[in-house]
Amino acid sequence: MFIDVAKIKVKAGNGGDGAVSFHREKFVAAGGPDGGDGGKGGNIVFVGDPNLSTLMDFKYKRKYEAPNGENGRACNSFGKSGQDLIIRVPIGTLVKDADSDGLIADISSTEPVVIAKGGKGGLGNSHFKSSTRQIPRFAKPGFPGEAFFLKLELKLIADVGLIGFPNVGKSTTISCISAAKPKIANYHFTTLSPVLGVVRVAEEASFVAADIPGLIEGAAEGIGLGHDFLRHVERCRLLLHVVDVSGCEGRDPIEDFKKINNELENFSPELATRPQIVLANKCDIATEEQREQFAAFIKEQGLELLEVSAATGRGLDKLPGIVWEHLKELPPVVIYTPNYVRPEPELGRRYEVVKEEDGSFTVTADWLERILQGSDVDDYESLQYFQTQLADSGILEELVKLGVQENDTVRIGDYEFDYLF
């Protein structure tokens, strides 16, 4: 099954917590604090894999989490950083933020790309020693890793795309000029997924061609299979427009040509301007009048026409060389520029203080909760450090403005305190 769109959730690892520890060694008195820092959380890294051609793996597994960093240890030992989680995707995969649809990365090569960054490790208590605070019994917890809901969208990377109505000979054509072996049969929609083939022109000259499943009228509005695969034409530098010039199925080749180009323009106006070479296929069973009429029409469009027969091989021996000469004059394959803007880190220490109906107060501040997690509230120096943070941030002043009284309850996360002057 060919899957080219998927939604997943990724979560980078959290940073490890800093350690609260004091040096203990025989014959060494008052060794002092020696708690080490926590390790960094693992990143979520995407890597393009040329051996993959579908997003099938993400149909069954939708949640990916990188390991957390280890906590710090005694003797100033740092915690081990979490290992990066490598996610392999087909080359040509666009990684988007599912909420904003912003492009985070275009995985167009085998170069690793960090999508979600792991959290930093927390500081151990050895960082908080001073002449006035000689026994710090608190440390900082690690920071959380980034988390995203992602939309993965595969847009094949091919130099040349074969387009046209179903059953006009695209699959046969690509099987003749490359090593690709698509399923070929005499009925519509034989090709249910794009087929890539490498076409060799000379010793060090080759290009990638993609057989795009047949389009029908209305494909850009979602009719038929073509709408699902039009995205795979967007990267192609050159289009080979295959037309059944014989009209053996009762269709008009000129009308077919117009309708396919109309679908391309409806889907993407930029696609309609992409260079095209028209392949008048099945010319071996077409009448001379049919060939001349179609050739005159294509000449009016200012396009190059090649009369070929995929069934007999007529004209296909010259096709790779002609395509290669065109590709040498065209710009490289389109690589999309990321436009996703990561949320700006909060400047300063944000907080919110709310007076509840029962007369208690609730303080909401993520940074303050992290300090509490690494503090021993029963220890005088830890509590003193915590109170300093309350005063410096302006939370105490805000509580006074809201009318806090002695012994009123103040909630911070999972903690409750009695307010004392």
Side-chain angles (χ1 to χ4, degrees), residues 122-182:
L123 300 178
N125 70 333
S126 60
H127 288 273
F128 301 100
K129 62 184 178 182
S130 67
S131 58
T132 58
R133 188 192 299 129
Q134 298 181 4
I135 314 175
R137 298 186 184 276
F138 58 89
K140 286 192 175 182
F143 289 83
E146 291 183 321
F148 293 100
F149 283 98
L150 298 178
K151 177 183 177 183
L152 307 183
E153 183 177 326
L154 176 59
K155 290 188 179 184
L156 295 177
I157 294 184
D159 300 289
V160 178
L162 277 73
I163 59 173
F165 269 89
N167 210 30
V168 295
K170 300 188 305 299
S171 296
T172 307
T173 299
I174 198 170
S175 68
C176 291
I177 64 176
S178 74
K181 301 299 178 186

Short mmCIF file of all heavy atoms in Angstrom, two decimals, residues 122-182:
data_model
loop_
_atom_site.label_atom_id
_atom_site.label_comp_id
_atom_site.label_asym_id
_atom_site.label_seq_id
_atom_site.Cartn_x
_atom_site.Cartn_y
_atom_site.Cartn_z
N GLY A 122 19.24 19.77 34.45
CA GLY A 122 19.19 20.70 35.57
C GLY A 122 20.54 20.80 36.28
O GLY A 122 21.39 19.91 36.16
N LEU A 123 20.75 21.88 37.00
CA LEU A 123 22.00 22.10 37.72
C LEU A 123 21.99 21.40 39.07
O LEU A 123 20.98 21.40 39.78
CB LEU A 123 22.23 23.60 37.92
CG LEU A 123 22.32 24.46 36.65
CD1 LEU A 123 22.49 25.93 37.03
CD2 LEU A 123 23.47 23.99 35.77
N GLY A 124 23.11 20.79 39.41
CA GLY A 124 23.25 20.16 40.72
C GLY A 124 23.48 21.20 41.81
O GLY A 124 23.75 22.38 41.53
N ASN A 125 23.41 20.74 43.07
CA ASN A 125 23.51 21.71 44.17
C ASN A 125 24.90 22.31 44.32
O ASN A 125 25.07 23.31 45.01
CB ASN A 125 23.05 21.08 45.49
CG ASN A 125 24.02 20.02 46.00
OD1 ASN A 125 24.74 19.39 45.22
ND2 ASN A 125 24.01 19.80 47.31
N SER A 126 25.89 21.74 43.66
CA SER A 126 27.24 22.32 43.75
C SER A 126 27.29 23.72 43.13
O SER A 126 28.19 24.51 43.43
CB SER A 126 28.26 21.41 43.05
OG SER A 126 27.94 21.24 41.68
N HIS A 127 26.32 24.04 42.25
CA HIS A 127 26.29 25.36 41.61
C HIS A 127 25.77 26.44 42.56
O HIS A 127 25.94 27.63 42.28
CB HIS A 127 25.39 25.33 40.37
CG HIS A 127 25.98 24.57 39.22
ND1 HIS A 127 26.81 25.14 38.29
CD2 HIS A 127 25.87 23.26 38.88
CE1 HIS A 127 27.17 24.23 37.39
NE2 HIS A 127 26.61 23.08 37.73
N PHE A 128 25.13 26.03 43.66
CA PHE A 128 24.45 27.01 44.51
C PHE A 128 25.19 27.28 45.82
O PHE A 128 24.66 27.94 46.70
CB PHE A 128 23.03 26.55 44.79
CG PHE A 128 22.22 26.36 43.54
CD1 PHE A 128 22.03 25.10 43.00
CD2 PHE A 128 21.68 27.44 42.88
CE1 PHE A 128 21.30 24.92 41.85
CE2 PHE A 128 20.95 27.28 41.72
CZ PHE A 128 20.76 26.01 41.19
N LYS A 129 26.41 26.77 45.94
CA LYS A 129 27.17 27.03 47.17
C LYS A 129 27.75 28.44 47.11
O LYS A 129 28.10 28.96 46.05
CB LYS A 129 28.28 26.00 47.32
CG LYS A 129 29.32 26.01 46.21
CD LYS A 129 30.34 24.90 46.40
CE LYS A 129 31.34 24.90 45.24
NZ LYS A 129 32.32 23.80 45.37
N SER A 130 27.81 29.06 48.28
CA SER A 130 28.39 30.39 48.39
C SER A 130 28.86 30.58 49.83
O SER A 130 28.69 29.70 50.67
CB SER A 130 27.35 31.46 48.02
OG SER A 130 26.32 31.49 48.98
N SER A 131 29.44 31.73 50.08
CA SER A 131 29.95 31.98 51.43
C SER A 131 28.82 32.05 52.45
O SER A 131 29.01 31.76 53.63
CB SER A 131 30.76 33.28 51.46
OG SER A 131 29.95 34.36 51.03
N THR A 132 27.64 32.43 52.01
CA THR A 132 26.50 32.53 52.92
C THR A 132 25.55 31.34 52.82
O THR A 132 24.66 31.20 53.65
CB THR A 132 25.71 33.82 52.63
OG1 THR A 132 25.27 33.81 51.26
CG2 THR A 132 26.57 35.04 52.88
N ARG A 133 25.71 30.53 51.78
CA ARG A 133 24.88 29.33 51.62
C ARG A 133 25.81 28.14 51.43
O ARG A 133 26.13 27.75 50.32
CB ARG A 133 23.94 29.48 50.43
CG ARG A 133 22.90 28.36 50.33
CD ARG A 133 22.19 28.37 49.00
NE ARG A 133 21.45 29.61 48.78
CZ ARG A 133 21.56 30.35 47.68
NH1 ARG A 133 22.41 30.00 46.73
NH2 ARG A 133 20.86 31.47 47.56
N GLN A 134 26.26 27.57 52.53
CA GLN A 134 27.28 26.53 52.44
C GLN A 134 26.70 25.12 52.33
O GLN A 134 27.41 24.18 51.99
CB GLN A 134 28.20 26.62 53.66
CG GLN A 134 28.94 27.95 53.76
CD GLN A 134 29.86 28.03 54.96
OE1 GLN A 134 30.02 27.06 55.69
NE2 GLN A 134 30.48 29.19 55.17
N ILE A 135 25.41 24.98 52.65
CA ILE A 135 24.81 23.65 52.60
C ILE A 135 23.51 23.70 51.77
O ILE A 135 22.41 23.54 52.29
CB ILE A 135 24.49 23.11 54.01
CG1 ILE A 135 25.67 23.34 54.94
CG2 ILE A 135 24.15 21.64 53.97
CD1 ILE A 135 25.38 22.96 56.37
N PRO A 136 23.62 23.99 50.47
CA PRO A 136 22.41 24.05 49.64
C PRO A 136 21.78 22.65 49.47
O PRO A 136 22.43 21.74 48.94
CB PRO A 136 22.93 24.59 48.30
CG PRO A 136 24.36 24.21 48.27
CD PRO A 136 24.85 24.25 49.68
N ARG A 137 20.56 22.51 49.93
CA ARG A 137 19.88 21.21 49.81
C ARG A 137 18.84 21.24 48.68
O ARG A 137 17.77 20.67 48.80
CB ARG A 137 19.22 20.84 51.14
CG ARG A 137 20.21 20.68 52.28
CD ARG A 137 19.53 20.18 53.55
NE ARG A 137 20.48 20.13 54.66
CZ ARG A 137 21.31 19.12 54.89
NH1 ARG A 137 21.31 18.07 54.08
NH2 ARG A 137 22.14 19.15 55.92
N PHE A 138 19.17 21.92 47.63
CA PHE A 138 18.26 21.98 46.48
C PHE A 138 19.08 21.98 45.20
O PHE A 138 20.26 22.32 45.18
CB PHE A 138 17.38 23.23 46.55
CG PHE A 138 18.16 24.53 46.61
CD1 PHE A 138 18.52 25.18 45.45
CD2 PHE A 138 18.53 25.08 47.83
CE1 PHE A 138 19.23 26.37 45.50
CE2 PHE A 138 19.25 26.27 47.89
CZ PHE A 138 19.60 26.92 46.72
N ALA A 139 18.42 21.57 44.14
CA ALA A 139 19.03 21.56 42.81
C ALA A 139 17.92 21.88 41.80
O ALA A 139 16.74 21.93 42.16
CB ALA A 139 19.65 20.21 42.51
N LYS A 140 18.29 22.08 40.56
CA LYS A 140 17.29 22.40 39.54
C LYS A 140 16.92 21.16 38.74
O LYS A 140 17.79 20.37 38.35
CB LYS A 140 17.82 23.48 38.60
CG LYS A 140 17.84 24.87 39.23
CD LYS A 140 18.09 25.94 38.18
CE LYS A 140 17.99 27.34 38.80
NZ LYS A 140 18.19 28.40 37.80
N PRO A 141 15.62 20.98 38.48
CA PRO A 141 15.20 19.86 37.63
C PRO A 141 15.53 20.14 36.18
O PRO A 141 15.78 21.29 35.79
CB PRO A 141 13.68 19.80 37.86
CG PRO A 141 13.31 21.20 38.19
CD PRO A 141 14.47 21.78 38.95
N GLY A 142 15.51 19.10 35.36
CA GLY A 142 15.77 19.27 33.94
C GLY A 142 14.61 19.95 33.22
O GLY A 142 13.48 19.95 33.70
N PHE A 143 14.90 20.52 32.06
CA PHE A 143 13.88 21.19 31.26
C PHE A 143 13.19 20.17 30.36
O PHE A 143 13.81 19.22 29.89
CB PHE A 143 14.50 22.30 30.42
CG PHE A 143 14.94 23.49 31.22
CD1 PHE A 143 16.18 23.49 31.86
CD2 PHE A 143 14.13 24.60 31.36
CE1 PHE A 143 16.60 24.59 32.61
CE2 PHE A 143 14.53 25.69 32.11
CZ PHE A 143 15.77 25.69 32.73
N PRO A 144 11.91 20.38 30.07
CA PRO A 144 11.21 19.44 29.19
C PRO A 144 11.70 19.55 27.75
O PRO A 144 12.12 20.62 27.30
CB PRO A 144 9.74 19.87 29.32
CG PRO A 144 9.80 21.30 29.74
CD PRO A 144 11.03 21.44 30.58
N GLY A 145 11.63 18.43 27.03
CA GLY A 145 11.99 18.43 25.61
C GLY A 145 10.84 18.95 24.75
O GLY A 145 9.69 18.99 25.20
N GLU A 146 11.15 19.36 23.54
CA GLU A 146 10.12 19.87 22.64
C GLU A 146 9.19 18.75 22.20
O GLU A 146 9.61 17.60 22.06
CB GLU A 146 10.76 20.52 21.41
CG GLU A 146 11.50 21.81 21.70
CD GLU A 146 12.06 22.44 20.45
OE1 GLU A 146 12.54 21.69 19.57
OE2 GLU A 146 12.02 23.68 20.33
N ALA A 147 7.95 19.09 21.96
CA ALA A 147 6.95 18.11 21.50
C ALA A 147 6.15 18.73 20.36
O ALA A 147 5.83 19.92 20.39
CB ALA A 147 6.04 17.69 22.64
N PHE A 148 5.87 17.93 19.34
CA PHE A 148 5.12 18.40 18.18
C PHE A 148 4.13 17.35 17.71
O PHE A 148 4.40 16.14 17.80
CB PHE A 148 6.05 18.70 16.99
CG PHE A 148 6.99 19.85 17.19
CD1 PHE A 148 8.30 19.63 17.53
CD2 PHE A 148 6.56 21.16 17.01
CE1 PHE A 148 9.19 20.68 17.70
CE2 PHE A 148 7.44 22.22 17.18
CZ PHE A 148 8.74 21.98 17.52
N PHE A 149 3.00 17.82 17.20
CA PHE A 149 2.16 17.00 16.34
C PHE A 149 2.60 17.32 14.91
O PHE A 149 2.53 18.48 14.50
CB PHE A 149 0.68 17.31 16.54
CG PHE A 149 0.11 16.71 17.80
CD1 PHE A 149 -0.01 17.47 18.95
CD2 PHE A 149 -0.28 15.37 17.82
CE1 PHE A 149 -0.53 16.92 20.11
CE2 PHE A 149 -0.80 14.82 18.98
CZ PHE A 149 -0.92 15.58 20.12
N LEU A 150 3.05 16.31 14.19
CA LEU A 150 3.62 16.54 12.86
C LEU A 150 2.74 15.96 11.77
O LEU A 150 2.09 14.92 11.95
CB LEU A 150 5.01 15.90 12.76
CG LEU A 150 6.10 16.41 13.71
CD1 LEU A 150 7.38 15.62 13.49
CD2 LEU A 150 6.36 17.90 13.49
N LYS A 151 2.75 16.64 10.63
CA LYS A 151 2.14 16.11 9.41
C LYS A 151 3.27 15.81 8.44
O LYS A 151 4.04 16.70 8.09
CB LYS A 151 1.18 17.13 8.81
CG LYS A 151 0.55 16.66 7.50
CD LYS A 151 -0.34 17.75 6.91
CE LYS A 151 -0.91 17.32 5.57
NZ LYS A 151 -1.73 18.40 4.95
N LEU A 152 3.38 14.55 8.03
CA LEU A 152 4.39 14.14 7.06
C LEU A 152 3.74 14.04 5.69
O LEU A 152 2.69 13.42 5.54
CB LEU A 152 5.00 12.80 7.46
CG LEU A 152 5.56 12.68 8.88
CD1 LEU A 152 6.19 11.32 9.09
CD2 LEU A 152 6.58 13.78 9.15
N GLU A 153 4.37 14.64 4.72
CA GLU A 153 3.81 14.65 3.36
C GLU A 153 4.93 14.32 2.38
O GLU A 153 5.93 15.03 2.30
CB GLU A 153 3.20 16.02 3.05
CG GLU A 153 2.53 16.10 1.69
CD GLU A 153 1.89 17.46 1.47
OE1 GLU A 153 1.40 18.06 2.45
OE2 GLU A 153 1.89 17.93 0.32
N LEU A 154 4.77 13.23 1.66
CA LEU A 154 5.80 12.78 0.72
C LEU A 154 5.57 13.40 -0.65
O LEU A 154 4.49 13.29 -1.22
CB LEU A 154 5.77 11.25 0.61
CG LEU A 154 6.74 10.64 -0.41
CD1 LEU A 154 8.18 11.00 -0.09
CD2 LEU A 154 6.57 9.12 -0.45
N LYS A 155 6.60 14.10 -1.14
CA LYS A 155 6.59 14.62 -2.51
C LYS A 155 7.82 14.06 -3.19
O LYS A 155 8.95 14.47 -2.89
CB LYS A 155 6.62 16.15 -2.52
CG LYS A 155 5.32 16.79 -2.02
CD LYS A 155 5.33 18.29 -2.25
CE LYS A 155 4.01 18.91 -1.76
NZ LYS A 155 3.94 20.35 -2.04
N LEU A 156 7.60 13.10 -4.07
CA LEU A 156 8.72 12.39 -4.69
C LEU A 156 9.70 13.36 -5.34
O LEU A 156 9.31 14.38 -5.93
CB LEU A 156 8.21 11.42 -5.74
CG LEU A 156 7.34 10.26 -5.23
CD1 LEU A 156 6.85 9.44 -6.40
CD2 LEU A 156 8.11 9.39 -4.26
N ILE A 157 10.98 13.02 -5.22
CA ILE A 157 12.02 13.80 -5.88
C ILE A 157 12.38 13.10 -7.18
O ILE A 157 13.02 12.05 -7.19
CB ILE A 157 13.25 13.95 -4.97
CG1 ILE A 157 12.89 14.78 -3.74
CG2 ILE A 157 14.40 14.59 -5.72
CD1 ILE A 157 14.06 15.06 -2.82
N ALA A 158 11.91 13.67 -8.28
CA ALA A 158 12.20 13.12 -9.60
C ALA A 158 12.47 14.27 -10.55
O ALA A 158 11.88 15.35 -10.43
CB ALA A 158 11.02 12.27 -10.09
N ASP A 159 13.35 14.04 -11.51
CA ASP A 159 13.67 15.07 -12.49
C ASP A 159 12.55 15.21 -13.52
O ASP A 159 12.24 16.30 -13.99
CB ASP A 159 14.98 14.73 -13.21
CG ASP A 159 16.15 14.65 -12.26
OD1 ASP A 159 16.57 15.70 -11.75
OD2 ASP A 159 16.64 13.54 -12.02
N VAL A 160 11.96 14.07 -13.86
CA VAL A 160 10.97 14.03 -14.94
C VAL A 160 9.71 13.33 -14.45
O VAL A 160 9.78 12.30 -13.77
CB VAL A 160 11.53 13.28 -16.17
CG1 VAL A 160 10.49 13.19 -17.27
CG2 VAL A 160 12.79 13.97 -16.68
N GLY A 161 8.56 13.88 -14.79
CA GLY A 161 7.29 13.25 -14.43
C GLY A 161 6.48 12.93 -15.67
O GLY A 161 6.34 13.78 -16.56
N LEU A 162 5.98 11.69 -15.76
CA LEU A 162 5.12 11.29 -16.87
C LEU A 162 3.67 11.51 -16.46
O LEU A 162 3.21 10.94 -15.46
CB LEU A 162 5.33 9.82 -17.24
CG LEU A 162 6.53 9.51 -18.16
CD1 LEU A 162 7.84 9.65 -17.39
CD2 LEU A 162 6.41 8.11 -18.74
N ILE A 163 2.97 12.35 -17.21
CA ILE A 163 1.58 12.65 -16.89
C ILE A 163 0.70 12.29 -18.08
O ILE A 163 1.18 12.13 -19.20
CB ILE A 163 1.39 14.14 -16.52
CG1 ILE A 163 1.83 15.04 -17.69
CG2 ILE A 163 2.16 14.48 -15.26
CD1 ILE A 163 1.50 16.51 -17.47
N GLY A 164 -0.59 12.18 -17.82
CA GLY A 164 -1.53 11.86 -18.89
C GLY A 164 -2.70 11.08 -18.35
O GLY A 164 -2.69 10.63 -17.20
N PHE A 165 -3.70 10.89 -19.18
CA PHE A 165 -4.88 10.12 -18.78
C PHE A 165 -4.51 8.66 -18.52
O PHE A 165 -3.46 8.19 -18.97
CB PHE A 165 -5.94 10.19 -19.89
CG PHE A 165 -6.90 11.33 -19.73
CD1 PHE A 165 -6.64 12.58 -20.29
CD2 PHE A 165 -8.08 11.17 -19.01
CE1 PHE A 165 -7.54 13.63 -20.13
CE2 PHE A 165 -8.98 12.21 -18.84
CZ PHE A 165 -8.71 13.44 -19.41
N PRO A 166 -5.37 7.93 -17.82
CA PRO A 166 -5.12 6.50 -17.62
C PRO A 166 -5.07 5.75 -18.95
O PRO A 166 -5.75 6.11 -19.91
CB PRO A 166 -6.31 6.04 -16.78
CG PRO A 166 -6.85 7.28 -16.15
CD PRO A 166 -6.58 8.38 -17.12
N ASN A 167 -4.25 4.73 -18.97
CA ASN A 167 -4.20 3.80 -20.10
C ASN A 167 -3.71 4.43 -21.41
O ASN A 167 -4.07 3.98 -22.49
CB ASN A 167 -5.59 3.17 -20.33
CG ASN A 167 -5.47 1.78 -20.93
OD1 ASN A 167 -4.51 1.07 -20.69
ND2 ASN A 167 -6.46 1.40 -21.73
N VAL A 168 -2.87 5.49 -21.28
CA VAL A 168 -2.31 6.07 -22.51
C VAL A 168 -0.91 5.55 -22.79
O VAL A 168 -0.32 5.86 -23.83
CB VAL A 168 -2.28 7.62 -22.44
CG1 VAL A 168 -3.69 8.18 -22.38
CG2 VAL A 168 -1.45 8.10 -21.27
N GLY A 169 -0.33 4.74 -21.85
CA GLY A 169 0.97 4.13 -22.10
C GLY A 169 2.10 4.66 -21.25
O GLY A 169 3.28 4.42 -21.56
N LYS A 170 1.79 5.34 -20.14
CA LYS A 170 2.86 5.88 -19.29
C LYS A 170 3.68 4.76 -18.65
O LYS A 170 4.91 4.82 -18.61
CB LYS A 170 2.27 6.79 -18.20
CG LYS A 170 1.51 7.98 -18.73
CD LYS A 170 1.11 8.96 -17.65
CE LYS A 170 0.33 8.29 -16.53
NZ LYS A 170 -0.94 7.69 -17.02
N SER A 171 3.00 3.75 -18.10
CA SER A 171 3.71 2.66 -17.43
C SER A 171 4.59 1.91 -18.41
O SER A 171 5.73 1.55 -18.10
CB SER A 171 2.70 1.70 -16.78
OG SER A 171 1.98 2.35 -15.75
N THR A 172 4.09 1.66 -19.61
CA THR A 172 4.88 0.96 -20.62
C THR A 172 6.08 1.79 -21.02
O THR A 172 7.19 1.28 -21.20
CB THR A 172 4.02 0.64 -21.85
OG1 THR A 172 2.85 -0.05 -21.45
CG2 THR A 172 4.80 -0.21 -22.84
N THR A 173 5.88 3.11 -21.13
CA THR A 173 6.98 3.99 -21.53
C THR A 173 8.10 3.98 -20.50
O THR A 173 9.28 3.82 -20.86
CB THR A 173 6.46 5.44 -21.70
OG1 THR A 173 5.46 5.47 -22.73
CG2 THR A 173 7.59 6.37 -22.07
N ILE A 174 7.75 4.11 -19.21
CA ILE A 174 8.81 4.15 -18.19
C ILE A 174 9.49 2.80 -18.06
O ILE A 174 10.68 2.71 -17.75
CB ILE A 174 8.25 4.63 -16.84
CG1 ILE A 174 9.41 5.09 -15.94
CG2 ILE A 174 7.45 3.54 -16.14
CD1 ILE A 174 8.96 5.81 -14.68
N SER A 175 8.77 1.71 -18.34
CA SER A 175 9.40 0.38 -18.29
C SER A 175 10.37 0.18 -19.44
O SER A 175 11.31 -0.61 -19.34
CB SER A 175 8.33 -0.71 -18.31
OG SER A 175 7.67 -0.76 -19.56
N CYS A 176 10.16 0.92 -20.55
CA CYS A 176 11.04 0.80 -21.71
C CYS A 176 12.33 1.62 -21.56
O CYS A 176 13.38 1.21 -22.04
CB CYS A 176 10.31 1.24 -22.98
SG CYS A 176 8.98 0.13 -23.50
N ILE A 177 12.25 2.76 -20.87
CA ILE A 177 13.42 3.64 -20.80
C ILE A 177 14.19 3.48 -19.49
O ILE A 177 15.26 4.07 -19.34
CB ILE A 177 13.02 5.11 -21.00
CG1 ILE A 177 12.11 5.59 -19.86
CG2 ILE A 177 12.36 5.31 -22.35
CD1 ILE A 177 11.73 7.06 -19.94
N SER A 178 13.64 2.71 -18.53
CA SER A 178 14.33 2.52 -17.24
C SER A 178 14.19 1.07 -16.80
O SER A 178 13.60 0.24 -17.52
CB SER A 178 13.74 3.45 -16.17
OG SER A 178 12.46 2.99 -15.76
N ALA A 179 14.72 0.79 -15.61
CA ALA A 179 14.63 -0.56 -15.06
C ALA A 179 13.37 -0.77 -14.24
O ALA A 179 13.16 -1.84 -13.67
CB ALA A 179 15.86 -0.85 -14.20
N ALA A 180 12.51 0.26 -14.16
CA ALA A 180 11.27 0.13 -13.39
C ALA A 180 10.35 -0.89 -14.03
O ALA A 180 10.27 -0.99 -15.26
CB ALA A 180 10.58 1.48 -13.28
N LYS A 181 9.64 -1.64 -13.20
CA LYS A 181 8.74 -2.67 -13.69
C LYS A 181 7.34 -2.49 -13.10
O LYS A 181 6.90 -3.27 -12.26
CB LYS A 181 9.28 -4.07 -13.34
CG LYS A 181 10.65 -4.38 -13.92
CD LYS A 181 10.64 -4.33 -15.45
CE LYS A 181 12.04 -4.60 -16.02
NZ LYS A 181 12.06 -4.41 -17.50
N PRO A 182 6.64 -1.46 -13.55
CA PRO A 182 5.28 -1.27 -13.03
C PRO A 182 4.32 -2.31 -13.59
O PRO A 182 4.59 -2.93 -14.63
CB PRO A 182 4.92 0.14 -13.54
CG PRO A 182 5.71 0.29 -14.79
CD PRO A 182 7.01 -0.45 -14.54
#
